[in-house]
Amino acid sequence: MPKGRAGSSNRADDNRLPWDLLGELLFDSPAHLAALFNAADRMLRHSRGLAEWSVFPQPDASGIALEALFPAEQAAEFALRLDEARKTGHPQRVKTGWLPGLRANLHFEWSMRSVPGANGWVLATAERTLQEVPPVGPSAISLSQDLLIQVMQTTPNLLYVVDLAERRTLFINRNPVEMLGYPPGKYDGDFFAFFERNLHPDDQRPALEHRRKLADMADGSVHELEFRVLDGAGNWRWVLSRDTPFKRGPDGRVTQVLGIAQDISQRRAAEDFQVRLTEIIESTPDVVATFRADLKLTYLNWAGRDLLGLHTDHPARYDLQHFGPAWAIELIQREAIPAALRIGFWTGEAALLAADGSEVPVSLVVLAHPSSSAEVEYLSLVARDIREMRRMQRELSRSRDELERRVYERTEELRRSEALYRSLAEAAPDLVVVIARDGNVEYANQVALRAFGVSLDQMIGRNMSQIFPPEITASQQAGVDEVFATGQSQLFEIHSPRPDGDSWHDTILVPIHDEDGAITGVLVVARDVTQRKMMEDELHKSRQLLQLVLDNIPQRVFWKDLSRKFLGANQPFLTDMGLASLQDLVGRTDAELLSKEFADWYDASDRQVLESGQPILGFEEPQARLDGGTNWLRSSKMPLRDLEGRIFGVLGTYEDITEIRAARDQLAEKNLELVRSNAELAQFAYIASHDLQEPLRMVSSYAQLLQRRYQGTLDERGEKYLGYIVDGAGRMGQLILDLLTYSRVGTRGLNLHPVDTRQAVARALFNLQVAIKEAGAQVRVGELPTIHGDETQLMQLFQNLIGNAIKFRRAEAPLVEISAQRDGELWRFAVRDNGIGIDEQYFDRIFEVFSRLHGREDYAGTGIGLAVCKKIVVRHGGKIWVESKQGEGSMFFFTLPALAEAANGDERA
Ligand code: ADP
């Protein structure tokens, strides 16, 4: 602040208020926006701060009409407020733009008060400026002191004079405590102290420094300080103080300071806001640009500078034309700006010209602020690069098309495969169920429905546990959980015990994936394997049984494959081979287990069976014993055939006949011996009886001769003795004859022919005719067959039996019946009598040689007859026995083989 006149005046009197200076202070402050209006609404004077924004230099400002300062309607509003302030004496507020200098974006918030006793003068102060304004020349107008006092009391700002040394306020235009909204009585009168007490801690140090400098201030200089002070509501208020030297001491240092303090809280808030706003705009990826009415650039944010490659040190070098291709600029001018003027904004798509000359498609917002004349006052563009968006749109629509196509194809495919799978599942003999993640049944085929005895409605959407029997649910649930947890298929067997027979199912659980690979369900396929299971069980049982049988028979059993490797064997065979277990045998050959001699031996018969397909039964072969000896075996080998009849191996069985063989050999030897000794015996008996006949016949002949010739010459005793000799010789002859007969039956070969047994009986009866006659016996002969036999012997047989039937008679005349009955392969003959009968205890004995039941005195005989009968019957391959009761007659039976061809009765001649 250049000092001249002001400097000299304020030094005139220490105690007088520096009115000129105060006036200067009021209107000279570049920070202070103030204007003084007279009763005719003319601006008498305006502050330097306001002049900065106007085209009116301060000295010429007097008498400027409101219309020259504000847009027309605002000028009227301003006039209304001025009047109101004068009439009511209350402060008035009004917002206006600012016309002078076409500062299009200036807005003021005025606060006006009428100046008391000043004939309608009103002081208007404003909050606006954000910029430091360079100082201009001092005011030429000086105001009267009274008026100045009035003005000073009108201003909302503090005007003060303080003594630096005494730290005391000498003058203050109004109470600062009131200004800051403190209740009355808070201010102790010391201005310094008050501010120091209520200063923001961060501002203490700058305040101290500021005060120190004040003492050395040059004349005309202004020291400013912005600081925060606590207001009555507890908020920090920003205050701007401007101090200038007022009085100096003898040493030339400033002792008193004149200052003005202004509440700039709103300005600071606006500045903060603007800073923040600027930061936001600078950092946005959208292009933000502002233009003046002449479409020269005023501001371009970072995104704009970057995209367009413009350097905005001097933004006004560029205008709208630089921003886009011709068509886009034309669009903005012809369409966007008029529309924005009408409704405030326009949006659409346009293009910007990038630094490399390419067109960048943008979505554009145009804001046009109209002036009072509805012309553009200033213009803002906000543009967003939509290349990426366009590309994405294209991508999106392409991928949407692709997706639609795929969805269609997939749906089609699914529809087809679904139908296919469904019909497959329906046709499957297996039980097919699909279980969803929540455990509910999603699908079940007919087999499943039948198995659980439910309808489709009862099945679908129900939980497994509600449908399946408990024993299935348990294992099934575990399996299903496992599939969901691991994604692995599960295979297991479900056994359901049922009263009507157990059932088994081979069950497989397979995960069902969606397209993303997530498991959405489990496919359950269960196959009824009950039958197989039962067959397996049967097979197992019969195998076990077979093995048991095999292991417990003395017979050794083994079986081999085509290459004569052992497939199996029973325990006795293993024992023979000296092997502990089947494992030691299976897969090996005889060559690996036995000496070459035996291996070759056995292999030969194996080969023969395998090659011929014919069994070899009951052949004998040697076997090396473990102790080094040799056993004899009776072996059989037979081919093993599969279901198709193909030979797949050979089965061998054998038994150890070492002992049998030894016994057989022994027996044969003994038999031979026996035959030999029997023959010798028969020979001996025959020779003996034959050779005995000759001397006996001599004894008998000479005894008879003696009897005849010397009858009457011997005494009675002599005759009696001779009678004994003749009788004994006769019996002996008979005995010898009988013995001869008996031995002949054994030694003579059988002369076998078809024999008509009636003939044999007839010849026997002929031989017996004397006895029959004597006894008056009656003989009845029934139908008798022709058989194969020795006729002489058969005749002898009948003769002995009929003879006995007559001999052992009772008192009455004997009746003998001879009959024959067919019994299968045999004829059973019977000779029945009505004689004395035989006690049961003798039924066997009577067929032995020399066994008789009676004395010679009762019944003659040698006891050989029945023995001969037995021998004859046995030699003919039959049997002989007796049935009888003592005193009730006897019945002798014997059997003889029937003729082979005689199936009917033809043999009965
Ligand atoms: P023998 O007739 O010479 O005594 P046999 O061998 O013919 O010898 O008979 C043995 C015995 O069997 C006879 O002594 C007799 O006691 C008894 N016997 C045989 N045939 C008859 C019969 N038909 N009735 C009763 N006893 C008989």
Side-chain angles (χ1 to χ4, degrees):
M1 188 191 289
K3 293 284 130 195
R5 180 178 45 80
S8 59
S9 73
N10 63 22
R11 282 197 192 109
D13 187 347
D14 282 359
N15 295 319
R16 278 181 50 220
L17 284 170
W19 303 117
D20 290 352
L21 200 62
L22 285 173
E24 264 176 38
L25 204 66
L26 187 61
F27 292 105
D28 277 359
S29 165
H32 198 209
L33 303 180
L36 189 63
F37 294 89
N38 66 10
D41 294 348
R42 295 284 173 153
M43 186 165 77
L44 290 178
R45 187 166 181 181
H46 58 292
S47 71
R48 230 168 67 194
L50 201 56
E52 161 67 9
W53 302 109
S54 75
V55 292
F56 309 115
Q58 215 172 346
D60 307 321
S62 307
I64 298 172
L66 294 177
E67 287 74 17
L69 294 170
F70 307 116
E73 66 274 26
Q74 290 174 0
E77 175 68 17
F78 200 91
L80 273 174
R81 292 294 133 211
L82 286 174
D83 266 359
E84 196 70 14
R86 289 181 197 110
K87 260 189 250 155
T88 64
H90 293 133
Q92 299 292 315
R93 300 186 80 83
V94 69
K95 287 180 184 172
T96 68
W98 192 241
L99 199 52
L102 295 176
R103 297 293 185 149
N105 54 349
L106 280 183
H107 287 86
F108 297 94
E109 187 167 342
W110 298 97
S111 169
M112 50 181 77
R113 283 165 188 267
S114 68
V115 180
N119 297 323
W121 284 16
V122 174
L123 180 69
T125 56
E127 266 305 319
R128 173 58 190 89
T129 182
L130 303 176
Q131 293 177 5
E132 195 55 56
V133 179
V136 293
S139 169
I141 287 185
S142 64
L143 301 168
S144 77
Q145 285 187 2
D146 289 347
L147 191 59
L148 202 55
I149 288 167
Q150 298 298 334
V151 170
M152 277 195 292
Q153 278 163 0
T154 306
T155 181
N157 301 328
L158 289 180
L159 300 173
Y160 54 84
V161 178
V162 292
D163 190 299
L164 288 177
E166 294 174 19
R167 301 172 61 84
R168 192 164 60 84
T169 311
L170 300 176
F171 167 82
I172 191 158
N173 66 336
R174 53 190 299 234
N175 190 337
V177 172
E178 279 169 20
M179 182 181 101
L180 291 169
Y182 281 94
K186 268 284 176 180
Y187 176 50
D188 61 3
D190 189 339
F191 180 66
F192 261 147
F194 172 77
F195 275 106
E196 273 172 7
R197 266 204 312 280
N198 295 293
L199 206 55
H200 192 282
D202 290 354
D203 297 335
Q204 302 273 10
R205 178 180 285 272
L208 196 68
E209 271 169 20
H210 170 78
R211 208 164 56 236
R212 279 207 200 104
K213 283 179 193 157
L214 291 180
D216 298 320
M217 274 193 298
D219 282 348
S221 64
V222 175
H223 279 217
E224 292 190 350
L225 175 69
E226 287 190 7
F227 58 90
R228 277 156 289 180
V229 66
L230 205 61
D231 71 7
N235 298 318
W236 292 108
R237 287 221 207 159
W238 277 102
V239 174
L240 168 67
S241 73
R242 298 173 57 82
D243 295 308
T244 162
F246 180 59
K247 194 176 176 186
R248 289 177 190 270
D251 56 355
R253 300 190 76 191
V254 177
T255 54
Q256 291 183 2
V257 169
L258 176 74
I260 181 165
Q262 183 184 5
D263 184 345
I264 57 164
S265 299
Q266 284 189 341
R267 193 198 87 199
R268 288 293 298 230
E271 274 177 358
D272 285 354
F273 177 69
Q274 179 147 354
V275 167
R276 246 173 276 138
L277 199 63
T278 308
E279 277 171 5
I280 292 168
I281 291 171
E282 277 297 303
S283 58
T284 178
D286 295 338
V287 175
V288 179
T290 60
F291 298 88
R292 298 197 314 224
D294 59 3
L295 301 181
K296 294 275 184 218
L297 180 66
T298 51
Y299 171 75
L300 180 62
N301 73 344
W302 180 87
R305 298 195 294 275
D306 185 56
L307 180 69
L308 302 162
L310 299 183
H311 300 283
T312 51
D313 300 342
H314 304 286
R317 283 214 317 255
Y318 305 106
D319 63 19
L320 186 62
Q321 303 296 332
H322 289 98
F323 273 69
W327 66 266
I329 302 303
E330 203 202 322
L331 176 73
I332 292 170
Q333 285 185 312
R334 198 170 41 77
E335 199 177 301
I337 295 176
L341 282 174
R342 270 199 313 279
I343 58 168
F345 68 93
W346 175 90
T347 61
E349 287 190 5
L352 296 183
L353 265 183
D356 61 2
S358 64
E359 275 187 32
V360 176
V362 292
S363 77
L364 187 66
V365 178
V366 175
L367 300 164
H369 301 259
S371 66
S372 51
S373 54
E375 288 295 307
V376 175
E377 189 170 325
Y378 62 95
L379 186 72
S380 305
L381 301 185
V382 179
R384 175 164 297 178
D385 183 348
I386 56 170
R387 279 178 298 188
E388 184 66 7
M389 197 180 78
R390 281 265 174 83
R391 196 182 59 72
M392 279 167 60
Q393 273 174 340
R394 275 196 306 275
E395 274 298 302
L396 198 67
S397 91
R398 198 176 322 131
S399 63
R400 198 170 44 222
D401 290 351
E402 175 71 11
L403 187 69
E404 269 177 19
R405 191 179 56 75
R406 284 227 203 112
V407 166
Y408 176 78
E409 283 176 4
R410 189 84 184 99
T411 311
E412 199 50 25
E413 208 173 280
L414 274 175
R415 203 180 55 70
R416 275 198 303 268
S417 66
E418 152 111 21
L420 175 69
Y421 283 126
R422 199 170 274 276
S423 53
L424 268 179
E426 285 302 333
D430 303 331
L431 186 152
V432 181
V433 173
V434 174
I435 291 169
R437 207 167 234 297
D438 55 11
N440 288 345
V441 175
E442 242 176 25
Y443 168 78
N445 71 349
Q446 290 299 322
V447 178
L449 297 180
R450 267 200 305 281
F452 297 113
V454 293
S455 72
L456 196 63
D457 287 349
Q458 288 170 313
M459 189 93 166
I460 302 299
R462 291 285 200 78
N463 196 277
M464 289 187 286
S465 58
Q466 295 174 278
I467 299 156
F468 304 145
E471 75 275 359
I472 294 186
T473 309
S475 48
Q476 182 118 308
Q477 185 68 61
V480 168
D481 289 349
E482 189 71 14
V483 173
F484 278 123
T486 64
Q488 303 285 315
S489 295
Q490 302 290 316
L491 201 62
F492 54 89
E493 185 178 81
I494 292 181
H495 174 209
S496 325
R498 302 256 175 77
D500 56 341
D502 291 9
S503 71
W504 283 267
H505 283 85
D506 271 354
T507 303
I508 183 168
L509 305 181
V510 183
I512 301 174
H513 295 102
D514 66 9
E515 290 186 347
D516 301 329
I519 302 173
T520 59
V522 174
L523 173 69
V524 181
V525 180
R527 175 163 298 179
D528 188 340
V529 291
T530 308
Q531 213 146 10
R532 192 194 74 199
K533 202 73 190 165
M534 280 159 64
M535 274 165 62
E536 278 174 3
D537 195 43
E538 282 301 311
L539 197 65
H540 176 74
K541 277 189 204 152
S542 57
R543 271 224 187 101
Q544 220 175 17
L545 183 70
L546 185 68
Q547 192 65 44
L548 203 66
V549 169
L550 279 178
D551 285 345
N552 287 285
I553 54 173
Q555 202 82 13
R556 278 64 157 170
V557 183
F558 58 87
W559 50 102
K560 300 172 177 175
D561 66 13
L562 291 175
S563 54
R564 276 95 66 212
K565 281 185 183 140
F566 280 99
L567 292 171
N570 68 347
Q571 192 54 48
F573 180 77
L574 292 178
T575 309
D576 269 9
M577 296 291 280
L579 297 174
S581 78
L582 209 54
Q583 277 94 305
D584 299 335
L585 176 78
V586 171
R588 300 169 81 181
T589 61
D590 282 330
E592 296 167 57
L593 295 162
L594 302 168
S595 72
K596 182 164 166 34
E597 181 194 355
F598 281 97
D600 286 350
W601 182 296
Y602 300 138
D603 200 49
S605 51
D606 288 343
R607 275 169 180 280
Q608 188 190 327
V609 169
L610 290 172
E611 279 160 22
S612 69
Q614 297 298 321
I616 316 174
L617 301 173
F619 63 98
E620 294 181 9
E621 55 185 354
Q623 182 186 45
R625 267 206 317 262
L626 296 174
D627 64 9
T630 302
N631 278 344
W632 277 94
L633 314 178
R634 190 200 307 281
S635 297
S636 292
K637 287 190 178 178
M638 51 213 84
L640 290 169
R641 293 175 190 274
D642 62 17
L643 287 175
E644 269 80 50
R646 287 181 302 243
I647 295 173
F648 70 90
V650 55
L651 176 88
T653 76
Y654 64 85
E655 59 194 314
D656 186 346
I657 54 158
T658 312
E659 281 173 24
I660 295 175
R661 220 170 121 108
R664 191 181 59 193
D665 288 352
Q666 242 174 342
L667 191 68
E669 222 169 283
K670 286 265 161 32
N671 262 350
L672 214 62
E673 242 172 76
L674 197 64
V675 165
R676 208 167 31 236
S677 79
N678 270 352
E680 273 172 16
L681 195 64
Q683 197 64 22
F684 169 77
Y686 180 77
I687 289 167
S689 42
H690 187 269
D691 289 358
L692 276 174
Q693 271 187 319
E694 202 40 45
L696 183 61
R697 198 175 289 127
M698 203 143 78
V699 170
S700 172
S701 304
Y702 281 99
Q704 285 172 10
L705 193 61
L706 203 60
Q707 224 178 12
R708 267 201 313 268
R709 186 91 44 104
Y710 296 97
Q711 202 160 22
T713 60
L714 291 175
D715 60 4
E716 198 175 337
R717 189 175 289 178
E719 284 209 6
K720 196 168 152 192
Y721 290 166
L722 194 59
Y724 287 153
I725 292 170
V726 170
D727 186 46
R731 276 196 292 120
M732 194 170 183
Q734 186 60 47
L735 200 60
I736 286 170
L737 266 179
D738 287 350
L739 268 175
L740 260 177
T741 307
Y742 180 76
S743 71
R744 257 195 212 113
V745 172
T747 50
R748 282 231 188 113
L750 281 176
N751 190 8
L752 293 174
H753 300 286
V755 176
D756 180 355
T757 49
R758 276 188 313 181
Q759 284 279 316
V761 169
R763 283 180 59 197
L765 291 177
F766 179 77
N767 292 341
L768 290 168
Q769 56 185 316
V770 178
I772 291 169
K773 212 170 191 167
E774 268 178 15
Q778 194 184 344
V779 179
R780 290 186 192 155
V781 180
E783 298 243 341
L784 296 177
T786 296
I787 56 129
H788 210 64
D790 183 313
E791 190 177 2
T792 307
Q793 291 191 358
L794 291 177
M795 184 273 291
Q796 181 82 51
L797 173 62
F798 283 113
Q799 188 177 320
N800 285 2
L801 291 174
I802 296 165
N804 279 349
I806 293 167
K807 181 161 64 173
F808 298 102
R809 62 174 178 270
R810 287 183 294 172
E812 70 229 63
L815 175 64
V816 183
E817 288 172 322
I818 299 154
S819 62
Q821 192 130 52
R822 182 71 185 245
D823 182 9
E825 304 279 289
L826 302 168
W827 279 102
R828 194 181 67 224
F829 292 83
V831 177
R832 181 192 190 133
D833 64 45
N834 56 350
I836 60 173
I838 305 166
D839 191 300
E840 196 183 340
Q841 59 177 312
Y842 305 118
F843 280 0
D844 289 329
R845 247 178 64 189
I846 54 173
F847 293 100
E848 288 168 16
V849 182
F850 303 135
S851 63
R852 307 197 69 232
L853 302 181
H854 307 279
R856 242 187 303 127
E857 311 77 39
D858 302 326
Y859 299 100
T862 57
I864 293 177
L866 285 179
V868 170
C869 288
K870 182 172 179 182
K871 208 168 198 175
I872 290 169
V873 170
V874 170
R875 287 200 80 189
H876 276 80
K879 270 168 43 174
I880 185 166
W881 69 99
V882 67
E883 285 176 14
S884 173
K885 250 187 177 168
Q886 214 163 8
E888 291 183 17
S890 308
M891 202 163 176
F892 282 84
F893 295 97
F894 62 92
T895 58
L896 291 173
L899 277 178
E901 65 272 28
N904 45 39
D906 287 352
E907 75 270 25
R908 293 178 184 175

